[in-house]
Every structure is written in C-alpha cells, then in structure tokens.
Amino acid sequence: MRKDYTRDDIVRLAKEQDVRYLRLQFTDLLGVIKNVEVPISQLSKALDNKIMFDGSSIEGFVRIEESDMYLYPDLSSWLVFPWHSGQGKVARLICDIHMPDGLPFAGDPRSILKRALDYASSLGFPTMNVGSEPEFFLLQMDEHGNPTTEVNDQGGYFDLAPVDLGENCRREIVLVLESLGFEIEASHHEVAPGQHEIDFKYAHALEAADNIMTFKLVVKTVARQFGLHATFMPKPLFGLNGSGMHCHQSLFNETGNVFYDASDEFGLSITARHYLAGILTHARGFTAVTNPIVNSYKRLVPGYEAPCHIAWSGKNRSPLVRVPASRGIGTRIEVRSPDPSTNPYLAIAVMLRAGLDGVERKLMPPAPVNRNIYIMNEMERVRAGIHSLPDNLREALDELANDEVIRGALGEHAYAHFHEAKMIEWDMFRTAVHPWEREQYLSLY
C-alpha cells in the first residue's frame, strides 16, 4: 500500500491531483487523531520539517514552558482523501513528533513503536507483521446530529440485507478504503445488532498502526454521510457483544517467518513459543494499554466471546491467544484482548516487547487449553493454572505500574503521562453516581 515517495514526488502529486490543503496528522497519547492543516502553499515548509505546533495543548505531550514541537512527515504516508467540499481536495501526511533540537519526542506514540521495532531488529527480527480486526457499531443519530444508543439494524453474524441495514454504508466504506490503497479481505455484519467488521490485509507493524488510524477516520466519515454514527467504543450497549480489535502478529528475518517450524506438532518454532510465553507472562501488565478506558472492562467479561483468561489454544476462541490454522508464511499468533479504543502504536509496541522478553528469557508457554474456558468453574481454572485479565482499569493500571518490561516499552515520559491521565479517568468514574445506582437504591433506601 505504501510507496517510497520522494520530496519531488509529493510536490508533483499535489499539483497533479489539485490538492488545496494538507493535513499533517499525528496521534496523541490516548489514541486520538490530531492534525495541523495548512494550505498547499506551505507544502515546501512542511516537507522541510519546519511546521511547528504547541505540544502543551496535546494530551500527554509536554508542559507549557517547553511547548514548541515540530512535525516530521513520513512521505510514504501521502494520500488524498476522496471527499472534499467546494474548497478543494485535502491530502494528508502522517508525522513523527520532534523536539526543537531535532531529536524524536520521547512521548510520541509513533516513535515509541519505532523504538520497539528497532529493538526487535537488534535481536535479529527486522520485520514484524500485524493484521488487525477492528470492530465497530453503527448507531442512529437524533435530529440534532448527536449519536443515540439505537443501533441501525437487528442483524447478526454474517446476515444480509434487508436484515443488515448497514450493508450500503459498509460497502461505501470498503470502496473508499480501496480507493486509498487498502486491500480489503472481508466485510460482514458482526454478532451484535448494529455491529460490523471490515478486515484488511496485514502490513509491517508501523504501517499497520497507521492503517488502523486511517481506517477509523474513514469509517466515521462515511458513516456520517449515511446519517449514522460509527463508534469504536468497546461496549456501547449492555447485553450485547462488545467490539474487539484482535491483533495477529508474526516476526520475520532474512530467511522468512521465524514463527514457523514444520517439524513441530503445532507448526510453531521455538521462537514462536518463547514469544507466546512472553505475551502470556505480561498480559496483565499490558492490558491497561490494549484496553485503556473504563468501558473496556465491560467487554472483558464471560458470556460475550471476549477473552477474560490468560491461556492459549490452536483450536478454540475462548483463550487470550489463539494460533490460527495457517502455516508457513502465514504462521502467527492472534492476541484477542485488545479493543479498538486502544492507541494502536502503543498497543503493538507493548505486545512486541512482551513477546521479545519471552524470546530473550527463553520462556516456555504452558500446555494449550482446548476446552471452552467460559464453562470452566473457578476451581477448574485454578487447577489448570489459568489466571484472569484485570477486572477493571484501576487493577490494570496497578499491573502496568509493576511491569518493568511494559513500562520500559512505553518509556518513562509516556508511562507517567498515560498513568496520570488514566488514574484521573478512573477516579472520575469511581466517584460519579451512575443511573444504575439510582435505579437500584433511590426508592429502596
């Protein structure tokens, strides 16, 4: 999907495609897309890395007394959005954040992922491929254009129109994504009413994270054109399945996929087993990053197909990690706990470092669990050595604080700001009086 554009290529494409505005896009610590938009007359300045912004205004960046930051565009991320007003076409470049001295900003999520990938390369794994499955809900909007909690259909898994009323919107999303260079592998209605999934081809880890952010922007933009609100909130509706973002991952070196071993009973190399063990070992530590909001933990409960327990299998989908059946170049592990509210740069970085810790320490995973964990009682899980993911954001933050590997993957700046922001979020939730409480107690007491 990406192309190795030069500066001259960008200048030429902007002119040929009659681009009038340029979005210099980046992602804040909480996974929200930000951008500085400039007229195309400022293109040369942007390509010279001279566009500045106020970093003190961005969540998790810097204090006001050190606020000047610079946008360094990744030229391979150039694309022109297919929608535009009468004011002209808009292009975008995804940027890394640098300090005035030219050094990468330690709290830039994209740079954090780059550091993790550089570390993997230093261990002999120059390539990490990631395939993601971000699910979302399409909700109706009220007369004022605000989202409601009413889903747009009552369809179920793989349903078709007329039951799947989101089909036309989903099809338009696919067409837009394909026009931007995405290779779409599947598009279908998910289990819950109003829930959808569009799968696109895996990519190198950095590009995969960029793609997730672009995907979310496209989905929300197209949905609004259909009078709908697309939400990547993990559990918007009680009693229905939540939205996950399963992450398939594999490592490559010059000989190919290092996760594959034809002589192994599972087709997994010793490196894959070490990596898998690292994921399981640090799962509780990285959950605050892969499931970063209070609502994430309403999804991670039994009964709705989301993984709650730390185990792996090649056969069933109830454990945290599944090993899909594909072998050879397609050998990979699928971590099923992340949800689409996560910052993909941080999520991929912490999972990679967790897996690499397993490789470095030569950890070995326990035996696979091929039973349905959801129907096992607590005593059976204890006997099988199956632990649970954190029950809530506060517990996850405590686990993160105690996991030096995951904290190291984030870096102290990002960790400190992330932890502080999430503790504030938890305290706001903890001290709020919720409708459920009033329904249960207002009349009774």
Side-chain angles (χ1 to χ4, degrees), residues 49 68 70 72 97-105:
N49 308 322
D68 289 345
Y70 287 83
Y72 279 50
I97 310 301
H98 285 241
M99 302 301 288
D101 61 7
L103 293 176
F105 169 49

Side-chain angles (χ1 to χ4, degrees), residues 103-114:
L103 293 176
F105 169 49
D108 172 25
R110 202 167 188 265
S111 294
I112 290 170
L113 176 53
K114 283 185 171 183

Side-chain angles (χ1 to χ4, degrees), residues 148-439:
T148 70
T149 55
E150 297 295 321
V151 296
N152 75 306
D153 65 48
Q154 293 298 317
Y157 203 47
F158 291 137
D159 272 347
L160 304 173
V163 178
D164 173 11
L165 299 179
E167 185 176 69
N168 288 337
C169 177
R170 198 172 63 238
R171 185 176 292 131
E172 182 63 23
I173 292 169
V174 169
L175 291 174
V176 170
L177 290 170
E178 287 183 329
S179 76
L180 297 177
F182 280 72
E183 183 176 332
I184 304 300
E185 296 181 333
S187 165
H188 60 85
H189 200 289
E190 257 296 337
V191 174
Q195 189 183 34
H196 304 268
E197 180 179 321
I198 298 172
D199 299 328
F200 45 93
K201 188 177 181 179
Y202 67 88
H204 181 272
L206 185 64
E207 183 181 352
D210 289 342
N211 288 347
I212 291 168
M213 298 307 296
T214 302
F215 173 83
K216 292 167 79 169
L217 178 63
V218 169
V219 168
K220 284 182 171 290
T221 301
V222 174
R224 185 160 285 271
Q225 293 171 356
F226 280 77
L228 299 169
H229 175 75
T231 182
F232 291 91
M233 181 179 175
K235 186 83 167 186
L237 300 167
F238 174 73
L240 299 180
N241 282 35
S243 292
M245 192 182 79
H246 304 169
C247 288
H248 300 251
Q249 45 203 282
S250 54
L251 299 179
F252 285 72
N253 61 17
E254 64 279 356
T255 65
N257 188 336
V258 300
F259 280 5
Y260 178 57
D261 182 354
S263 65
D264 180 75
E265 62 174 317
F266 294 104
L268 296 177
S269 69
I270 191 68
T271 300
R273 290 176 179 273
H274 292 330
Y275 189 97
L276 170 56
I279 292 288
L280 299 178
T281 298
H282 294 285
R284 288 180 61 84
F286 66 60
T287 294
V289 178
T290 56
N291 306 84
I293 65 176
V294 166
N295 181 256
S296 295
Y297 300 85
K298 306 296 177 71
R299 167 181 168 257
L300 296 178
V301 295
Y304 296 97
E305 300 185 14
C308 317
H309 307 294
I310 303 171
W312 75 281
S313 175
K315 295 183 178 180
N316 80 73
R317 296 169 186 263
S318 60
L320 172 72
V321 177
R322 186 175 76 95
V323 180
S326 178
R327 290 297 178 265
I329 194 173
T331 306
R332 62 194 186 276
I333 70 165
E334 176 191 7
V335 183
R336 304 181 68 253
S337 60
D339 68 54
S341 70
T342 187
N343 183 322
Y345 301 101
L346 300 184
I348 295 171
V350 296
M351 287 188 287
L352 174 58
R353 288 301 300 267
L356 292 176
D357 184 59
V359 173
E360 289 187 281
R361 294 201 285 147
K362 301 188 184 320
L363 302 178
M364 291 300 292
V369 177
N370 295 322
R371 290 182 58 193
N372 184 348
I373 300 177
Y374 298 137
I375 64 174
M376 296 171 67
N377 61 39
E378 185 176 359
M379 186 59 67
E380 289 175 312
R381 292 196 300 272
V382 170
R383 283 199 294 264
I386 301 172
H387 300 287
S388 298
L389 292 174
D391 287 333
N392 56 58
L393 181 60
R394 175 56 194 266
E395 185 181 344
L397 289 169
D398 289 344
E399 292 289 338
L400 172 60
N402 292 323
D403 194 316
E404 293 184 3
V405 170
I406 305 305
R407 284 182 60 166
L410 295 175
E412 203 52 40
H413 178 100
Y415 164 73
H417 284 79
F418 180 86
H419 190 272
E420 180 184 18
K422 291 299 166 180
M423 282 300 296
I424 292 171
E425 180 180 337
W426 171 254
D427 282 337
M428 289 173 63
F429 171 75
R430 181 181 63 84
T431 58
V433 179
H434 301 279
W436 182 90
E437 297 172 83
R438 286 190 287 268
E439 293 170 5

